[in-house]
Amino acid sequence: MNITKMFTTLIKTCSKFSALKYCNNIVTQERFLKHNIRNLAVIYIQYDYLHTTSIYLVNKKAKIEEKIPKQTKKKGPVINLWQHMKVIELANITQRDINDILTIASVIDDKKTYSVETKFDDIKILSNIVKKLGFRYTIISRSDKVEKVQEDHDITKRPPADESILINRRPVVTIMGHVDHGKTTLLDALRNTSVVDTEFGGITQHIGAFNVELITGEKITFLDTPGHAAFTSMRERGARITDIVVLVVAADDGVMEQTIQSINMAKSANVPIIVAINKIDKHNADIIRTQKMLQLEGIDVEQLGGEVQCVNISALKGTNLNALIEAIALQAEIIGLKGDPTGLVEGVVIECRNDKTRGKLSTALIQRGTLKKNAILVSGTSWAKVRSMFDHLGKPVIQANLSDAIQIMGWKELPNVGDEILEVKSEQEAHMVIRYRQKQINDIKAEEHKEAAEKKLQQHLIEYKEKLNKKRILGRRYISEPKKKESISDLTPAFNIIIKTDVAGSLEAVLDVIGTYTADEKCRLNVVHYGVGLTTESDVELAATFDAVIYQFNVNISSKIQKLAKIKDITIRSCNVIYKLIDDIKNEINMKLPFEDREEIIDFILQKFIHIKGEAQVMKQFDVTIEKKRVSVAGCQCVEGTLKKNGMYHLIRNENVIYTGKLLSLRHLKNEVDSIKNGTECGLRLDDNSITFQPGDKIICFKPYKEKQSIEWNAGF
């Protein structure tokens, strides 16, 4: 037999148990071919023995496994899958958290980024995810009957609860009044802490919410609202969510502007008022006058025969505070405050802020239900999974009950202050509600944009028809109008700013005040960006792009941001009081305004106070020849002040200025002079030879100068 043919036969036989690999490890193919048949036969016999032995071992293992009872695996529930299924649909069917689905999907398919609305184009990836979740599956078509996914929807407050489940709750009391009348000092005395020392300038910059347990055992939730006009919306929000308003009026000042606003807010919210006349320890305190001033505003106190409780106090010295507490307790008992502690939570956002360590925090007032950890909340287009809760001192609490003011941690985005908070059953429902609300907002915006576009189109059609009619009438004589130049607003100076505040309420107040700026014809004020929290690198980059100044309100700045701002040449200014912030903006705007031309006009009465030039009366016109040219000369008499040859002149006829310019000549008799005093006759020749004079004309000498402009911005301070 041929050696090559025999080798081929042996290799085919040995390939069943990988003889070729063994042969290649012993010798190369060339050396292997040189072996004689006997050596090949020996190798074949060796591997035949190994093959037989391996078959024996396999059969023996199979017999042993037959004797071992098989463990039955638990089979998961069967779910329906279909092509192009969404992540949200899979989460609803499997009743698993969306984050779990997204995590498993990113592990199995790391080439694709998954979100809530992502579709699974590959059915294999979808089936692998389902297996990892512990489910069995059946592939169906989308047209088959599938469990209908719940559509996006909105949520509202529950209907009123049955009276049988209502319980007594603590009152929510709002302290309101004019700025610097002692609201925060009163609250400080009631809870025996020192809040007023931490308020910049003694002014409350945002709503403070406190759960207070008084010495008498009474539990009350107090809201301290700012008194300044800039915080009107915050005070109004405090009036809407409260049960009782304590109106603080200083005995020395009496009823002021914000006092009247607070009264109107409480009346519009139909909230009972208790008057606290503060600062009775001052030497100029006049309690009777204050009570009569309140009576003029419709607040009839008991001392003057009315029904409104009135307590005379000194918050600074603690005088009559117990009497005020008793008045609050009595009013709460008269109202009969009750609430429903069961079911889904309902509340309202009082304040919100970005905390450096705890992230996004909101201060909320619980109005219904009992808030616990891991609850899912929706407020506006924001939602939260409650991770932790804290009281006003920053101490963690397990749950929040009726009328509690609580700080909530776990918001994905900060809600808007004043928005209602509603609890939902799951994250999926929260997403549905937010999508629905966002769609409603987008629809409103789209409608507004559509109306604006239609108005612009109608205006364009009107202009087009007018031009078309002109063209038809004039024919070839029609000359198209030149294009309009760029708007003058492009040449108007502008001041760009970025606002960063500690809490959303302060931001709202600052933006409201900035919204009162109306001096756009002189300088535009542009708010490039605003937000709650610390100034970030992106804020500095944005300020560099728009050449903006960053204003921080009650916000600290890190050394890293300071260095970056110095490199970028960006100005960052920190303010703790809203007055100073607005004053600084005013100064910056005034610095950007250009100088304006002014004239120092003659005024005989003020002659001794300012540098006056003078006024002359034209008596007669003389025509003379100078260098073979006929020119007009005004024969005048100086009637006021002094006429200067190097001054500027107005020629006024019948109260109309017909010439403004310089003189070519000023003569007394035949002599050229530099000035003419009051009561002296003179001859005047203007720089414009085409001007003629008439008896009775006035010639006024004035001194032009530049004056710095300033804006007139009434911010309500």
Side-chain angles (χ1 to χ4, degrees), residues 177-366:
H178 191 74
V179 63
D180 198 30
H181 275 200
K183 301 182 302 298
T184 308
T185 306
L186 171 60
L187 191 58
D188 173 38
L190 290 172
R191 64 193 182 104
N192 196 23
T193 57
S194 183
V195 176
V196 71
D197 293 339
T198 64
E199 297 289 356
F200 302 101
I203 302 169
T204 302
Q205 303 293 338
H206 49 78
I207 290 181
F210 310 94
N211 302 319
V212 179
E213 184 172 357
L214 304 172
I215 299 174
T216 59
E218 296 286 344
K219 291 183 178 181
I220 303 174
T221 299
F222 282 101
L223 302 181
D224 178 24
T225 64
H228 193 268
F231 301 89
T232 301
S233 59
M234 298 177 68
R235 290 202 313 277
E236 186 176 11
R237 186 162 53 249
R240 285 191 285 109
I241 61 178
T242 191
D243 300 314
I244 301 170
V245 167
V246 173
L247 182 66
V248 179
V249 187
D252 55 344
D253 286 343
V255 175
M256 303 293 284
E257 181 181 355
Q258 277 76 56
T259 311
I260 298 172
Q261 290 182 4
S262 300
I263 292 171
N264 294 333
M265 290 173 188
K267 286 182 177 179
S268 63
N270 197 24
V271 178
I273 297 175
I274 298 175
V275 176
I277 299 180
N278 193 23
K279 301 184 181 182
I280 60 173
D281 54 313
K282 283 198 168 186
H283 69 280
N284 57 343
D286 192 338
I287 298 174
I288 301 299
R289 180 180 69 93
T290 304
Q291 291 174 344
K292 290 181 178 179
M293 292 176 72
L294 288 168
Q295 193 174 38
L296 294 176
E297 300 300 329
I299 303 298
D300 295 323
V301 298
E302 291 177 337
Q303 289 82 344
L304 298 180
E307 297 181 354
V308 178
Q309 296 186 77
C310 179
V311 184
N312 304 325
I313 65 169
S314 172
L316 188 63
K317 295 186 177 181
T319 306
N320 291 338
L321 293 186
N322 289 334
L324 179 61
I325 294 169
E326 290 175 1
I328 294 173
L330 176 61
Q331 188 68 56
E333 186 177 351
I334 293 172
I335 299 172
L337 299 173
K338 292 183 179 294
D340 176 14
T342 63
L344 299 176
V345 171
E346 296 175 5
V348 63
V349 179
I350 299 174
E351 195 55 86
C352 53
R353 63 189 176 93
N354 275 318
D355 189 86
K356 188 175 181 180
T357 56
R358 292 175 174 172
K360 296 178 175 63
L361 290 177
S362 73
T363 302
L365 180 68
I366 307 302

Side-chain angles (χ1 to χ4, degrees), residues 284-549:
N284 57 343
D286 192 338
I287 298 174
I288 301 299
R289 180 180 69 93
T290 304
Q291 291 174 344
K292 290 181 178 179
M293 292 176 72
L294 288 168
Q295 193 174 38
L296 294 176
E297 300 300 329
I299 303 298
D300 295 323
V301 298
E302 291 177 337
Q303 289 82 344
L304 298 180
E307 297 181 354
V308 178
Q309 296 186 77
C310 179
V311 184
N312 304 325
I313 65 169
S314 172
L316 188 63
K317 295 186 177 181
T319 306
N320 291 338
L321 293 186
N322 289 334
L324 179 61
I325 294 169
E326 290 175 1
I328 294 173
L330 176 61
Q331 188 68 56
E333 186 177 351
I334 293 172
I335 299 172
L337 299 173
K338 292 183 179 294
D340 176 14
T342 63
L344 299 176
V345 171
E346 296 175 5
V348 63
V349 179
I350 299 174
E351 195 55 86
C352 53
R353 63 189 176 93
N354 275 318
D355 189 86
K356 188 175 181 180
T357 56
R358 292 175 174 172
K360 296 178 175 63
L361 290 177
S362 73
T363 302
L365 180 68
I366 307 302
Q367 298 174 316
R368 189 174 184 179
T370 303
L371 182 61
K372 298 181 180 179
K373 191 177 179 181
N374 295 324
I376 308 298
L377 305 178
V378 174
S379 178
T381 55
S382 304
W383 72 281
K385 183 176 183 180
V386 181
R387 292 167 53 194
S388 299
M389 292 177 288
F390 310 93
D391 62 12
H392 64 275
L393 297 175
K395 296 179 180 179
V397 294
I398 299 174
Q399 67 180 29
N401 301 315
L402 290 172
S403 300
D404 276 350
I406 204 75
Q407 288 184 346
I408 300 172
M409 184 173 74
W411 292 95
K412 307 305 176 183
E413 296 293 337
L414 283 177
N416 295 323
V417 288
D419 283 356
E420 65 179 10
I421 297 176
L422 299 175
E423 184 182 1
V424 294
K425 296 179 180 178
S426 63
E427 290 185 27
Q428 288 81 6
E429 187 176 3
H431 286 296
M432 292 174 189
V433 172
I434 291 172
R435 282 198 303 269
Y436 179 86
R437 292 180 175 181
Q438 192 63 55
K439 184 178 181 302
Q440 297 295 107
I441 295 173
N442 293 338
D443 290 344
I444 294 173
K445 288 182 178 179
E447 190 64 29
E448 292 175 352
H449 293 165
K450 183 181 178 182
E451 291 178 1
E454 288 178 353
K455 288 182 180 179
K456 194 170 183 180
L457 177 61
Q458 292 298 327
Q459 183 65 28
H460 172 73
L461 291 174
I462 292 171
E463 293 176 358
Y464 171 74
K465 289 179 180 179
E466 290 177 355
K467 290 180 180 179
L468 188 61
N469 290 333
K470 285 182 181 180
K471 190 173 182 180
R472 287 173 177 172
I473 294 170
L474 298 175
R476 292 184 179 181
R477 292 176 296 167
Y478 174 77
I479 301 174
S480 60
E481 296 178 359
K483 292 183 178 179
K484 293 182 180 180
K485 295 182 179 180
E486 293 183 2
S487 173
I488 194 169
S489 62
D490 298 334
L491 305 176
T492 304
F495 181 46
N496 300 328
I497 60 174
I498 293 175
I499 305 293
K500 297 302 289 284
T501 65
D502 55 343
V503 294
S506 298
L507 177 62
E508 181 185 22
V510 172
L511 293 178
D512 284 346
V513 176
I514 291 175
T516 63
Y517 178 77
T518 57
D520 292 340
E521 68 280 357
K522 291 184 177 180
C523 180
R524 289 178 286 117
L525 177 59
N526 302 323
V527 181
V528 175
H529 174 67
Y530 57 84
V532 177
L534 299 175
T535 301
T536 61
E537 294 182 13
S538 61
D539 295 328
V540 177
E541 295 291 343
L542 195 63
T545 302
F546 289 93
D547 189 23
V549 174

Side-chain angles (χ1 to χ4, degrees), residues 9 24 96 131 309 312 331 359 373 393 404 536 570 586 596 614 633 638 644 648 684 704:
T9 304
N24 286 335
R96 297 294 293 270
K131 289 178 182 178
Q309 296 186 77
N312 304 325
Q331 188 68 56
K373 191 177 179 181
L393 297 175
D404 276 350
T536 61
I570 297 301
K586 283 183 181 179
E596 191 174 27
V633 175
C638 182
K644 292 284 188 179
M648 292 290 292
L684 296 176

Side-chain angles (χ1 to χ4, degrees), residues 118-180:
T118 304
K119 295 180 180 179
F120 294 102
D121 297 327
D122 192 344
I123 199 70
K124 292 182 179 179
I125 294 174
L126 180 59
S127 60
N128 288 335
I129 294 173
V130 172
K131 289 178 182 178
K132 292 288 185 182
L133 293 171
F135 292 90
R136 292 181 297 160
Y137 62 90
T138 301
I139 306 297
I140 64 172
S141 64
R142 188 69 178 88
S143 59
D144 291 344
K145 290 183 179 181
V146 183
E147 182 181 354
K148 187 177 180 180
V149 179
Q150 191 176 4
E151 296 180 355
D152 295 344
H153 60 276
D154 201 0
I155 53 172
T156 56
K157 289 184 176 181
R158 292 178 286 152
D162 189 87
E163 292 186 2
S164 60
I165 62 174
L166 298 181
I167 62 172
N168 293 328
R169 64 173 179 85
R170 70 176 71 172
V172 178
V173 179
T174 299
I175 310 293
M176 302 182 74
H178 191 74
V179 63
D180 198 30

